[in-house]
Amino acid sequence: MIYHADLCFSIRTILQSMFTTDNVFLFIPNLIGYIRVVFGIAALYVMPSQPTIAASLYLLSGILDAFDGHAARYFNQSSQFRVMFEMLTDRCMTMALLVNLATFYPSWVFAFQLSMVTDISCHWIHIHTSLLLGKRSHKCIGPSENTFLRFYYTSRTFLFTMCAGNELFYAMLYLLYFTEGPLVLGTDLFRILLIVCMPIAIFKSLLAVLQGYIAWKNLGGLDIQERQQLKEKKFKKPTSSSLENGYTGPRDQIMLQECTAGPTQGP
């Protein structure tokens, strides 16, 4: 009985420390993220030959993606570490699955390559430009920015639908290589899900292209402003107040902006 009581006390102490810790690496949502990585690696390992196990682990990892966001808000453990870790986990898992699909469907290799290039490049430049603009997160889209992207990142329901539909589309494409799945109303279930999720996957790719285009446009705007500032410096010496404040150019002014639009935590 004493051993049981000590064990319960130890478990309670550990849980309380997890809820109150300031160590970002031990935040509840980040621990969920680590579990996602384990499930993802296991799914990739058995993917070539064990479709049921691979698909289950892959989709389970995707489902946990929704829970870590809720955990971050519930336990007040939001962090830049989690946002970046979550995004990289999503991108790497999808890329690894697409590589496997390219071996299953060699005639569609170009389509898979195009999907990977678009996904990685557009997300990377969007995040890079967001940081240069001084935003707290790449999910911060201001009221004056693109309406579609703002709705995409501020509506948790829409964001979850897009991400889940995209991952489900590729998962069904993977499963269809091995089996058509159970029959539902006389039609193969996996094929039905593939057809339903296909428009979602296409639309999400278009949104990625849109955010990539806007990011490149904003990055070019930063360069133009800096060049204009350099031209002005040739004819005007910097004021003492600007030197005291450490102001060196338009990018410093942009970096002072705060993003106040919508939640930074996705599903």
Side-chain angles (χ1 to χ4, degrees), residues 199-212:
I200 298 177
I202 295 175
F203 186 66
K204 189 174 185 296
S205 295
L206 293 177
L207 283 174
V209 172
L210 175 63
Q211 75 175 5

Side-chain angles (χ1 to χ4, degrees), residues 70-84:
H70 289 293
R73 291 185 291 271
Y74 182 81
F75 295 110
N76 192 27
Q77 292 184 337
S78 300
S79 64
Q80 294 298 321
F81 177 89
R82 189 200 74 84
V83 173
M84 185 57 66

Side-chain angles (χ1 to χ4, degrees), residues 62 65 86 90-91 94 123 139 152-153 156-170 200 204 267:
D65 186 20
E86 174 195 27
D90 293 339
R91 301 280 73 75
T94 303
H123 274 86
K139 296 179 181 178
Y152 174 69
Y153 279 119
R156 296 192 184 109
T157 302
F158 184 72
L159 180 59
F160 175 80
T161 301
M162 289 288 101
C163 294
N166 184 69
E167 295 302 321
L168 195 59
F169 168 74
Y170 289 124
I200 298 177
K204 189 174 185 296

Side-chain angles (χ1 to χ4, degrees), residues 27-40 61 64-65 67-69 81-82 85-86 89:
F27 281 2
I28 300 294
N30 295 338
L31 294 178
I32 296 176
Y34 304 151
I35 296 174
R36 287 191 62 206
V37 172
V38 173
F39 284 166
S61 176
L64 289 177
D65 186 20
F67 285 98
D68 67 354
F81 177 89
R82 189 200 74 84
F85 189 78
E86 174 195 27
T89 301

Side-chain angles (χ1 to χ4, degrees), residues 20-256:
T20 59
T21 182
D22 289 326
N23 186 345
V24 66
F25 301 107
L26 297 179
F27 281 2
I28 300 294
N30 295 338
L31 294 178
I32 296 176
Y34 304 151
I35 296 174
R36 287 191 62 206
V37 172
V38 173
F39 284 166
I41 293 176
L44 298 180
Y45 181 75
V46 299
M47 193 168 282
S49 58
Q50 301 291 331
T52 302
I53 298 176
S56 299
L57 291 172
Y58 185 90
L59 293 176
L60 182 58
S61 176
I63 292 173
L64 289 177
D65 186 20
F67 285 98
D68 67 354
H70 289 293
R73 291 185 291 271
Y74 182 81
F75 295 110
N76 192 27
Q77 292 184 337
S78 300
S79 64
Q80 294 298 321
F81 177 89
R82 189 200 74 84
V83 173
M84 185 57 66
F85 189 78
E86 174 195 27
M87 191 277 296
L88 286 176
T89 301
D90 293 339
R91 301 280 73 75
C92 292
M93 287 296 300
T94 303
M95 296 307 102
L97 176 58
L98 286 172
V99 169
N100 203 79
L101 290 177
T103 64
F104 288 169
Y105 305 98
S107 60
W108 289 91
V109 166
F110 177 71
F112 295 132
Q113 289 176 328
L114 191 61
S115 177
M116 287 188 282
V117 169
T118 300
D119 197 9
I120 291 295
S121 62
C122 291
H123 274 86
W124 189 89
I125 190 62
H126 175 64
I127 291 176
H128 178 67
T129 306
S130 297
L131 293 176
L132 291 179
L133 290 173
K135 296 182 178 182
R136 293 183 292 109
S137 169
H138 66 285
K139 296 179 181 178
C140 292
I141 308 295
S144 61
E145 298 182 76
N146 186 270
T147 303
F148 291 107
L149 286 184
R150 176 172 169 78
F151 180 73
Y152 174 69
Y153 279 119
T154 57
S155 172
R156 296 192 184 109
T157 302
F158 184 72
L159 180 59
F160 175 80
T161 301
M162 289 288 101
C163 294
N166 184 69
E167 295 302 321
L168 195 59
F169 168 74
Y170 289 124
M172 293 304 103
L173 197 58
Y174 163 76
L175 287 173
L176 278 171
Y177 179 79
F178 298 94
T179 176
E180 296 286 340
L183 291 177
V184 176
L185 300 178
T187 307
D188 302 318
L189 176 61
F190 294 164
R191 194 167 298 277
I192 293 177
L193 292 175
L194 178 74
I195 295 173
V196 171
C197 294
M198 181 182 293
I200 298 177
I202 295 175
F203 186 66
K204 189 174 185 296
S205 295
L206 293 177
L207 283 174
V209 172
L210 175 63
Q211 75 175 5
Y213 165 75
I214 294 175
W216 282 112
K217 184 178 179 180
N218 289 337
L219 188 60
L222 287 174
D223 287 334
I224 292 173
Q225 291 182 36
E226 287 190 343
R227 291 178 65 85
Q228 183 64 32
Q229 182 69 22
L230 290 174
K231 290 180 181 179
E232 293 176 357
K233 283 184 177 181
K234 292 181 179 179
F235 303 99
K236 180 180 178 181
K237 294 182 178 181
T239 62
S240 59
S241 60
S242 63
L243 291 175
E244 292 173 358
N245 295 329
Y247 178 78
T248 59
R251 182 168 297 180
D252 291 328
Q253 184 177 12
I254 295 174
M255 290 290 288
L256 296 176

